[in-house]
Amino acid sequence: MISRISSAAILILVTVIFRPTVAISAFLNVAILNSGFHRDIHYNLRFGGIGRMSCELLLVQHLPASIYVNTDQLVDMKRFNKISSYVPLYVDVEKPTSKSEPFTVYLYDTLRREVNITLPIHFRYHDPSERKFERIQVESPTVYVQCHNVQSSKHPPRTLSTARLPCSSSSHIEDYDKLAHAALCDWDELEFNNLPTVISVLIPVGNSRSYRFVLPATIVVSWIGSMYLIYVILKVGRRVNKKLL
């Protein structure tokens, strides 16, 4: 009887000691909202088993050359605490897609059960083509965490690798000359339970076949409009001169 009790106690003790550690559950859903050339990327992140763990969250979104963000718009959103972002370069909003380069946007937040981030994006104009629409793909973002009390948590985050990326303080940089000199910190890449998919968007493109018609018509209409404005200006000028005399 005593041996059976001892065996059961040892079995329970071994089970408790060697019980596998369950990491926090993490899910990511990405959607592009609105329509036209001005849209929003909405990120919905849900975490389970966080407990008392204190972590900072970093979402790294790579954008293709056909998409840009308005840094002035992001600055205004920061003032109202709607977003915490860092763009490591000056974004020229006037460039077309053919003269632009891909870049990366860093979005910061704190780790909690549910995190919602909305990033306003804008699509650049494409060169005229025989196609009516251009398909643009937006890759799924990579998410990193920086935790301070992992040892006290029963469910540590399930990470893949470590990377040196801009610290959360980078979101406060507004001087364009200092954008490339942001401080770097160690971030752990977070593994998700689901597999986020790549999102594709169709953007209308100018028809290159209409070039021979549109160009002469634009020149003729511009000349007619200019001549009419000159006529109106001279006519009004004569009336004003007569009144003054």
Side-chain angles (χ1 to χ4, degrees):
M1 183 69 179
I2 298 175
S3 60
R4 291 181 180 179
I5 296 175
S6 300
S7 300
I10 293 173
L11 180 61
I12 295 173
L13 181 62
V14 171
T15 303
V16 172
I17 294 176
F18 294 97
R19 182 177 58 186
T21 302
V22 180
I24 63 174
S25 59
F27 296 89
L28 170 64
N29 294 314
V30 184
I32 296 183
L33 309 178
N34 304 327
S35 59
F37 282 81
H38 309 283
R39 307 192 184 190
D40 295 330
I41 301 181
H42 182 73
Y43 308 94
N44 175 255
L45 302 99
R46 290 177 289 111
F47 304 96
I50 299 176
R52 298 180 180 179
M53 188 164 47
S54 176
C55 301
E56 292 183 357
L57 190 69
L58 169 59
L59 189 147
V60 180
Q61 177 67 70
H62 300 289
L63 295 177
S66 54
I67 298 178
Y68 71 92
V69 295
N70 190 328
T71 51
D72 293 332
Q73 181 183 14
L74 294 180
V75 169
D76 292 336
M77 294 179 65
K78 291 178 187 178
R79 294 172 181 172
F80 293 96
N81 296 323
K82 292 184 177 181
I83 198 171
S84 179
S85 62
Y86 167 66
V87 182
L89 75 166
Y90 171 75
V91 180
D92 190 347
V93 300
E94 301 295 337
K95 283 186 177 181
T97 300
S98 58
K99 297 182 179 180
S100 302
E101 298 291 338
F103 66 100
T104 304
V105 178
Y106 300 88
L107 302 172
Y108 301 92
D109 211 315
T110 56
L111 186 66
R112 51 188 185 274
R113 291 185 177 179
E114 184 173 3
V115 178
N116 289 284
I117 302 175
T118 301
L119 175 66
I121 60 171
H122 311 274
F123 292 89
R124 298 184 185 274
Y125 291 103
H126 288 72
D127 293 335
S129 173
E130 294 183 358
R131 298 189 299 270
K132 294 183 179 180
F133 295 92
E134 188 73 25
R135 183 175 296 276
I136 302 172
Q137 291 186 342
V138 181
E139 297 181 358
S140 177
T142 307
V143 179
Y144 298 85
V145 291
Q146 191 180 71
C147 301
H148 307 288
N149 55 346
V150 180
Q151 297 178 354
S152 61
S153 175
K154 297 181 180 179
H155 307 292
R158 187 166 51 198
T159 58
L160 298 174
S161 60
T162 303
R164 293 280 292 175
L165 298 170
C167 303
S168 58
S169 59
S170 305
S171 61
H172 303 295
I173 301 177
E174 297 183 2
D175 189 351
Y176 291 134
D177 296 331
K178 299 180 180 179
L179 288 176
H181 305 287
L184 301 179
C185 296
D186 291 328
W187 294 87
D188 296 320
E189 183 180 352
L190 192 63
E191 182 181 1
F192 285 92
N193 294 65
N194 65 326
L195 183 62
T197 57
V198 177
I199 301 177
S200 61
V201 180
L202 290 177
I203 296 297
V205 180
N207 192 345
S208 58
R209 296 179 180 178
S210 303
Y211 178 78
R212 295 181 179 179
F213 169 77
V214 173
L215 180 61
T218 303
I219 294 176
V220 172
V221 172
S222 300
W223 272 101
I224 294 175
S226 300
M227 295 302 294
Y228 177 75
L229 288 176
I230 293 174
Y231 168 76
V232 172
I233 292 173
L234 293 176
K235 186 175 181 180
V236 173
R238 290 174 183 174
R239 291 179 181 178
V240 172
N241 290 334
K242 288 181 180 179
K243 291 182 179 180
L244 293 176
L245 294 176

